[in-house]
Amino acid sequence: MAQWFTKWIGWVRVIAFFGLLFGLIIRIGDPQPLETLRNASFDFYHQSKPRELTQLPVAIIDVDDTSIEEIGQWPWPRTRVADMVQLATAQGAVAIAFDIVFSEPDRLSPAQIAQDNPDIPPTLLSKLTALPDNDQVLADAFAKSRVIVGQTTVRTIAGNREEKREMAKVAHALIGPSPLPYLLAFPDIVQNLPALEANAAGRGIFNALPDPDGVYRRLPLVMSVQGQIRLGLTPELLRVATGGDPFAVRTNEAGLEGIVLARQLIPTAHDGTVWPYLTPSSRSRYVSAADLLKGRVPQGRLAGHLVLVGTSAIGLEDFRATPLGVAMAGVEVHAQVLENIMAKTLLVRPNYTIAIELVTTFILCTLVIIFAPSLSARLLISLSVVLLAGYVGTSYYLFVGKRVLLDPSFPVLATATAIILISTVNYLREERQRREIRSAFGQYVSPDLVDQLTQDRGTLSLGGESRELTLLFSDVRGFTAIAEEFRDDPEALTMLMNEFLTILSRAIMDQKGTIDKFMGDAVMAFWNAPLDNPDHARAACRAALKMIEDVHAFNAKRRREAARRRKARAGQKRKSAPARRKIHRIKVGIGINTGQCVVGNMGSDMRFDYTALGDPVNVASRLEGQSRYYGASIILGEATARALAETFAIMELDVVRVVGKAVPETIFALFGDETLARAPLFAALCATNSAMLQAYRDRQWDQAESQLAEVSALLDKLKLNMADYVEMYSGRIADLRIAPPPGDWDGVFASTSK
């Protein structure tokens, strides 16, 4: 019995079980990678279901970019800040908290100005020194309102500041053991000027520490500073607004349970922090400081509100990364914490959630360890998906319905790891059995035959087959100028070309084409291999037209983005704006040809590619090069044009002898689909162009020139940009008038470049 049990358990299950125990120990230690993964999961929940915005009596007086533009450079004179306090109080604000610390005397106080400018005339100097001190004006404004001054902690060793002021004692009660061992501890603090501190109704600390990835997910409501228990800015604002009674801290053996304000318990984590449940940033919370000072705020806008004063100005850089994936002004984060407290919508992560996560991980992994070795892959995957989806669904339900944060990442990661390890062992076992079978059959038949039966590698052999293909080559016109613009930013050029080549590739793939290779800014593709496509010529032309259309849209998008960037720079009015990069319009030339080619795996035994070879490939490449001379975006070879009949708008361009070929090739321009082909005006263009070409080849220069003018007029009416085509033939006719061609001239143009 013991032997059977040992055999059934197996060494794989034993090792996996010990691995599970080791993984649980690691989770209890909670290293940073696991914390980062867990936080990312909670961020995903947050972003998929942010808190709904509701109207609550919370407002922000915002020193925004408009305020700085109207009022002047920050910091403003303290008299302006005093005006803000007085106006907000007159508006009916219940209490005002500053997400700003005034730790230094106002450099714009009259006495300070007098001291900094000793050459001022004595009469004016005496008048200046007689004026009230700006800081005292602000302190007087504080005394006539309910103001909470902001303070900030510093992570310095106690006593290393030149002047260290004692903090004012804060009345509080303790319910349970001392919370000091659990609180975030700071050895020192930056306070406001003594007069401001003395006249303030409260003092709150606005510090918040980010997680290791720089995201602010938790904020402390209570903390330890110089060994004293202090409230954060938000709960201090709430305390003062509700009467100013002392607060209480409730603790148990595991740490903090929460703080008691206004006779209500606000739950916190064991260290006094909370998880705010955020909404996307909303301007409805904000009142511009300039609007308040200029009297543009509607009467009663701040009535009954708890007001925070802070900044969203870009230059002051008071922005915080949030779980929503976007930065938010720090003062708005504080405002949302206050909304969470008032509406009781804080996210919670009770201590028991860790136990649930560990037990769930143990159960799921144990099920996998026990049953995975004996289950089929399909059943194992199905069962695992059901179990893991059920757990993740429960975690998401708790977030949405109960605002409870239950980690979905570690149980899923641990279970998936167990599945992968067990599946890998199963695969290795099956591979060993397959080798044993191969060895056994090798005793009766040739090992080569066994290999051929067990694995067909015919598709990976070198060689090819003859097929009729339609080939497409595309290239960017003027790429050198584009690259020159990006000479100082090659990464931006790479991003631009990757996006551009993605557009071309998508058009080719949508028409079932095969992309052979990318050559810098050029693309080679073909149709009718490896899969049969009897309509390959039409598919290639449809892809080419879509490529041109998408490139036009891409150029328009780049122009719009450039215009937005210019507008943003103009709005910022920076003195040293970055140099604007010229937006080059990307133009594409495309050559298409059809013919018999060899297609297959070409190369060496060590490296090969699936590609096409043959004369039609070279012709297609040469046709792409001709597009720059004829002004047509898409040039077709004769075989391709004949295969298309009347389903596309095609016009003959010339008979050319491309570089490397003795036999001339009639080339055509592709302008559009059958809608354009059936247009009477396009039919007239083709007829007039054919007559012009015939007159040109018959040396009837006057007639050719007259009909070329008609061709130009028809092109303009059809809005087809072929000015280069008209100019080229006009130049040829002028040259041939001066130097007539020899008697055996056949009208074929010999191209001298690729």
Side-chain angles (χ1 to χ4, degrees), residues 69 566-574:
E69 184 176 346
R566 287 195 297 269
K567 185 176 180 180
R569 283 194 295 265
Q572 293 172 3
K573 295 184 178 180
R574 293 181 177 174

Side-chain angles (χ1 to χ4, degrees), residues 56 64 107 117 193 234 289 307 433-434 457 507-508 686 752:
L56 291 168
D64 54 8
R107 59 183 175 80
N117 299 272
L193 295 173
T234 298
V307 177
Q433 293 172 352
R434 191 177 294 113
R457 297 181 59 86
I508 294 169
C686 291
T752 58

Side-chain angles (χ1 to χ4, degrees), residues 403-425:
R403 299 185 305 279
V404 173
L405 296 173
L406 180 66
D407 179 22
S409 61
F410 181 74
V412 171
L413 175 64
T415 306
T417 302
I419 293 171
I420 292 172
L421 291 176
I422 297 294
S423 299
T424 301
V425 171

Side-chain angles (χ1 to χ4, degrees), residues 132-161:
D133 181 75
N134 286 5
D135 293 312
Q136 189 58 49
V137 171
L138 180 58
D140 293 341
F142 282 6
K144 297 175 183 178
S145 181
R146 287 196 286 186
V147 174
I148 295 87
V149 291
Q151 298 174 335
T152 180
T153 60
V154 289
R155 287 184 171 272
T156 58
I157 301 173
N160 70 345
R161 294 166 61 86

Side-chain angles (χ1 to χ4, degrees), residues 186-459:
F186 300 92
D188 207 350
I189 190 171
V190 177
Q191 301 184 69
N192 296 269
L193 295 173
L196 303 180
E197 294 274 347
N199 286 5
R203 299 150 197 85
I205 298 171
F206 52 73
N207 282 72
L209 298 179
D211 287 326
D213 57 0
V215 178
Y216 288 79
R217 297 183 181 88
R218 287 166 286 187
L219 280 81
L221 294 190
V222 60
M223 63 204 78
S224 168
V225 181
Q226 294 182 3
Q228 296 185 33
I229 297 175
R230 297 294 302 273
L231 285 180
L233 183 66
T234 298
E236 179 70 358
L237 171 59
L238 186 60
R239 185 188 71 82
V240 172
T242 55
D245 293 334
F247 67 95
V249 181
R250 178 184 289 182
T251 58
N252 56 31
E253 292 75 9
L256 272 72
E257 294 181 13
I259 60 173
V260 179
L261 280 178
R263 300 181 181 179
Q264 293 189 8
L265 176 66
I266 303 173
T268 67
H270 75 285
D271 58 356
T273 60
V274 292
W275 295 71
Y277 190 12
L278 303 178
T279 72
S281 180
S282 173
R283 296 305 303 175
S284 64
R285 295 187 177 97
Y286 288 85
V287 172
S288 174
D291 290 343
L292 181 64
L293 291 169
K294 299 289 185 178
R296 297 192 292 258
V297 177
Q299 188 63 34
R301 169 65 179 87
L302 301 178
H305 281 62
L306 307 183
V307 177
L308 289 148
V309 181
T311 177
S312 69
I314 299 298
L316 300 183
E317 298 182 347
D318 185 25
F319 281 83
R320 303 290 181 264
T322 68
L324 294 178
V326 294
M328 187 180 296
V331 66
E332 186 172 6
V333 176
H334 288 297
Q336 295 216 41
V337 172
L338 184 56
E339 291 175 354
N340 284 161
I341 295 173
M342 297 172 68
K344 298 182 179 180
T345 55
L346 285 166
L347 299 174
V348 294
R349 181 163 165 78
N351 291 336
Y352 62 77
T353 55
I354 299 176
I356 293 176
E357 293 159 8
L358 293 174
V359 171
T360 301
T361 302
F362 180 82
I363 293 174
L364 291 176
C365 290
T366 300
L367 290 175
V368 170
I369 292 170
I370 293 174
F371 294 106
S374 57
L375 294 178
S376 65
R378 180 178 300 178
L379 185 58
L380 174 61
I381 293 173
S382 301
L383 182 61
S384 301
V385 168
V386 170
L387 292 174
L388 295 179
Y391 174 75
V392 173
T394 301
S395 171
Y396 188 71
Y397 166 76
L398 290 174
F399 172 82
V400 174
K402 307 295 183 181
R403 299 185 305 279
V404 173
L405 296 173
L406 180 66
D407 179 22
S409 61
F410 181 74
V412 171
L413 175 64
T415 306
T417 302
I419 293 171
I420 292 172
L421 291 176
I422 297 294
S423 299
T424 301
V425 171
N426 287 348
Y427 173 80
L428 294 175
R429 183 187 294 115
E430 292 176 2
E431 183 66 22
R432 184 193 61 186
Q433 293 172 352
R434 191 177 294 113
R435 287 197 301 269
E436 291 174 354
I437 293 172
R438 184 181 294 112
S439 177
F441 271 90
Q443 303 297 321
Y444 305 100
V445 297
S446 167
D448 295 336
L449 179 58
V450 175
D451 291 338
Q452 185 177 350
L453 292 173
T454 56
Q455 188 174 12
D456 180 14
R457 297 181 59 86
T459 57

Side-chain angles (χ1 to χ4, degrees), residues 386-687:
V386 170
L387 292 174
L388 295 179
Y391 174 75
V392 173
T394 301
S395 171
Y396 188 71
Y397 166 76
L398 290 174
F399 172 82
V400 174
K402 307 295 183 181
R403 299 185 305 279
V404 173
L405 296 173
L406 180 66
D407 179 22
S409 61
F410 181 74
V412 171
L413 175 64
T415 306
T417 302
I419 293 171
I420 292 172
L421 291 176
I422 297 294
S423 299
T424 301
V425 171
N426 287 348
Y427 173 80
L428 294 175
R429 183 187 294 115
E430 292 176 2
E431 183 66 22
R432 184 193 61 186
Q433 293 172 352
R434 191 177 294 113
R435 287 197 301 269
E436 291 174 354
I437 293 172
R438 184 181 294 112
S439 177
F441 271 90
Q443 303 297 321
Y444 305 100
V445 297
S446 167
D448 295 336
L449 179 58
V450 175
D451 291 338
Q452 185 177 350
L453 292 173
T454 56
Q455 188 174 12
D456 180 14
R457 297 181 59 86
T459 57
L460 298 178
S461 60
L462 291 173
E465 59 177 325
S466 179
R467 280 192 181 221
E468 184 182 63
L469 303 179
T470 295
L471 304 112
L472 179 149
F473 281 80
S474 78
D475 196 9
V476 175
R477 298 282 166 261
F479 179 73
T480 302
I482 297 174
E484 179 68 16
E485 278 297 320
F486 288 89
R487 61 184 180 275
D488 297 327
D489 193 359
E491 291 183 0
L493 176 62
T494 301
M495 293 175 61
L496 172 66
M497 294 313 300
N498 285 344
E499 187 175 0
F500 167 73
L501 292 174
T502 299
I503 292 172
L504 301 190
S505 302
R506 188 178 294 115
I508 294 169
M509 301 300 290
D510 287 347
Q511 293 298 325
K512 312 301 182 186
T514 300
I515 298 176
D516 186 307
K517 58 178 69 72
F518 295 104
M519 301 159 285
D521 58 315
V523 180
M524 173 186 172
F526 52 79
W527 279 259
N528 203 32
L531 300 179
D532 293 333
N533 185 352
D535 201 27
H536 51 86
R538 288 180 175 81
C541 290
R542 284 192 291 266
L545 291 172
K546 188 67 167 64
M547 290 164 70
I548 297 300
E549 177 186 345
D550 290 348
V551 168
H552 287 324
F554 180 59
N555 284 326
K557 172 188 170 186
R558 294 178 64 228
R559 288 194 297 271
R560 289 194 301 270
E561 291 176 348
R564 282 197 297 268
R565 288 194 296 269
R566 287 195 297 269
K567 185 176 180 180
R569 283 194 295 265
Q572 293 172 3
K573 295 184 178 180
R574 293 181 177 174
K575 295 182 179 179
S576 57
R580 291 188 299 176
R581 179 178 291 127
K582 183 178 180 182
I583 303 299
H584 286 276
R585 179 172 173 267
I586 297 179
K587 299 180 181 179
V588 178
I590 299 175
I592 300 176
N593 190 39
T594 302
Q596 204 72 20
C597 303
V598 175
V599 61
N601 293 313
M602 311 293 178
S604 69
D605 291 336
M606 294 176 290
R607 180 182 177 87
F608 53 83
D609 293 318
Y610 188 81
T611 188
L613 300 175
D615 184 63
V617 179
N618 299 327
V619 172
S621 175
R622 300 294 187 269
L623 295 181
E624 176 272 314
Q626 296 302 312
S627 64
R628 75 188 69 182
Y629 304 113
Y630 289 88
S633 297
I634 307 171
I635 293 185
L636 308 180
E638 186 172 0
T640 305
R642 302 300 181 208
L644 298 176
E646 298 179 356
T647 56
F648 287 88
I650 296 171
M651 184 182 80
E652 182 181 348
L653 295 177
D654 204 354
V655 179
V656 299
R657 187 176 290 108
V658 298
V659 175
K661 279 185 64 67
V663 179
E665 177 87 14
T666 304
I667 63 174
F668 299 80
L670 172 62
F671 293 111
D673 57 15
E674 58 184 3
T675 302
L676 180 60
R678 293 174 181 174
L681 203 59
F682 186 77
L685 170 65
C686 291

